[in-house]
Amino acid sequence: MAALPLPLASATPSSQSHPVFSKPSYFITHAKRSNRLRVSCTDSRNVETPLGKVDRRNMLLGLGGGLYGAANLISSPGALAEPVSPPQLDKCGLSTYNTNKGVKMEVPCCPPSSETITKYKLPPVTQMKIRPAAQNLTPEYIYKYNKAIECMKQLQKDHPEDPRGFMQQANIHCAYCNGAYTYDTKPGKDPFTLQVHNSWLFFPFHRWYLYFYERILGELIGDPTFALPFWNWDNPKGMYIPEYFLDCRSALHDCKRNPDNLKAVVDLGFTGSKNPDQVVTNNLSIVYNEMVAANADAYGFMGKPYCQGSNEKESGPGSVERGSHTAVHVFVGDPREPAGEDLGNFYSAGRDPLFFCHHSNVDRMWTLWQYYLPSDQIPDKRITSRDFLEASFLFYNEKAELVRVTVEDCLDNRSMGYDFEQCDLPWLDYRPPAQTATAKVIRSRKTAPNAETVFPLNLDKIVRVLVSKTKKGKADELLVIENITVDTTKFLKFDVFVNDEDDDLTDLDKAAYAGTYAQVPHKSGKKTNTTSISLKLTNLYNRMDVEDDDTVLVTLVPRHKGEGVTIGGIKIIENPTPVKTANSSG
Ligand code: C2O
């Protein structure tokens, strides 16, 4: 196991320095007693807006009539290669999911409708909100955060139809992610069901979702500067559930969490390692892999294209979405619950306040990738397709007005008025140790069939195959795992190793670790998705001896139990988007 890397000396230290794994101080009760602190819910009569017009029963059912102007103006549904248009709320249906036992469940998650939809205009930024690292919150901040969530829960009790209430906010995720929005298509075509995961919509959708959630919290406590903390699970100082989420007297508490993981080190790898130090180094290796090493182009990070009428089968999740993001969901979700509630299934994930703290960090990972990724890794990080930029969603803002937002308007967090507390990025130049000279000898003794002879196969145990390189040595190549077909109702994960030299596959902090595929359960039925992933091998070759090899040994290690994934094939191709180095570009 590699030694724990030290935080970068150059990074700005956070306001409090916690030794690794120290717990944050815990003061909610104390803070409540303090006279200095007066945060209360604003009077909901002052903040309630246009809902009076719509029959309440209809709103609860998501049936409120009206003009769905924005939705109607955009696109003929079903056509390929058009940006995703906002859902028609009056056509919102039931969401579905499967229990762990395979029973199909239906659940109503629709928001109220509204007669007016306005295109959202980002307000001018007068004061940058700074989202703090969750482990660094002051007692006052914890108190305020707790109070804001309490207000949101109170609003739900007092006005269940208010779209800013706690369950209404949670249900946004359920509706967008578990199949509530189906669009009519041309006769003879399958209806198109909107899904905001598994594609390039993942980061933008969740950014907007948190943006309004944060503004609503600010509105409810009368503090427009309120900023949503981020769960800093990419840093050893933040690799546990922040303690103030665990007190059952707090609004931040949720009973539906895995009791074994409440105080455990976050495990982004699910390798089965019981050694907390190993879990920490695995985590850093995973984040380094998905942020820096594994992606050859912007889609590798952001996710693949997904358009109006697209079949989800044509898209696929980016590296962080399928990797650390999925892991945190499943780490927290309660395996005793029928469908891994709350965080372990998309339909219920938003019911745990920790979801938003987790996604605040997911959002931060996007900004870090945009602004910190070393420039020698990806040739171009921008996606300029109109199908991406013009994709749009609907949300209720902090005044309970229904607004339409576009991907284009959320690409720069600072123009949206928020930024993140600067923290160490111990994964940024994390390099797993190079393979030793004997590794090559050891792996040459392993016998493995050629990839062409074994696929397709059901990945229910470890598989080792030989794959041909495009040319000998340290070529700029991608490993492509094709036609990964997954059962969307299950948690599934497998790790990919190239030229692994030992059989202890619980360690991910090694040169041979090439990447991960994983998903959070969401849809119902035995619906399947098919996708492929491409993993850049360049960084990995630099840490092992492949000089005169014309094949590599690829190992696929499933981390879930049982069936659910089939793999169509594995091949190695030349990197189609090589990075020009400083030398070659002159
Ligand atoms: Cu929309 Cu982390 O999920």
Side-chain angles (χ1 to χ4, degrees), residues 173 177 195-197 202 205-206 209 321 325-326 329 343 346 349 355 358-359 362 520:
H173 199 254
C177 318
Q195 172 55 259
V196 291
H197 298 88
F202 172 76
F205 169 83
H206 290 85
Y209 183 21
E321 181 187 353
H325 160 256
T326 293
H329 272 274
L343 266 166
F346 284 154
F355 170 92
H358 168 39
H359 267 274
V362 171
V520 181

Side-chain angles (χ1 to χ4, degrees), residues 241-258:
I241 299 178
E243 201 176 44
Y244 45 87
F245 280 91
L246 301 180
D247 185 319
C248 52
R249 294 163 300 176
S250 159
L252 299 166
H253 180 257
D254 181 9
C255 323
K256 295 182 180 176
R257 294 183 186 142
N258 187 339

Side-chain angles (χ1 to χ4, degrees), residues 506-546:
T506 60
D507 294 5
L508 299 180
D509 58 321
K510 54 184 185 179
Y513 170 61
T516 291
Y517 183 90
Q519 77 166 5
V520 181
H522 50 291
K523 278 203 198 131
S524 72
K526 278 249 184 264
K527 290 227 179 113
T528 57
N529 265 348
T530 304
T531 190
S532 63
I533 57 173
S534 300
L535 302 169
K536 189 157 77 170
L537 296 174
T538 322
N539 294 302
L540 183 146
Y541 288 155
N542 285 335
R543 316 199 60 75
M544 57 178 59
D545 175 9
V546 291

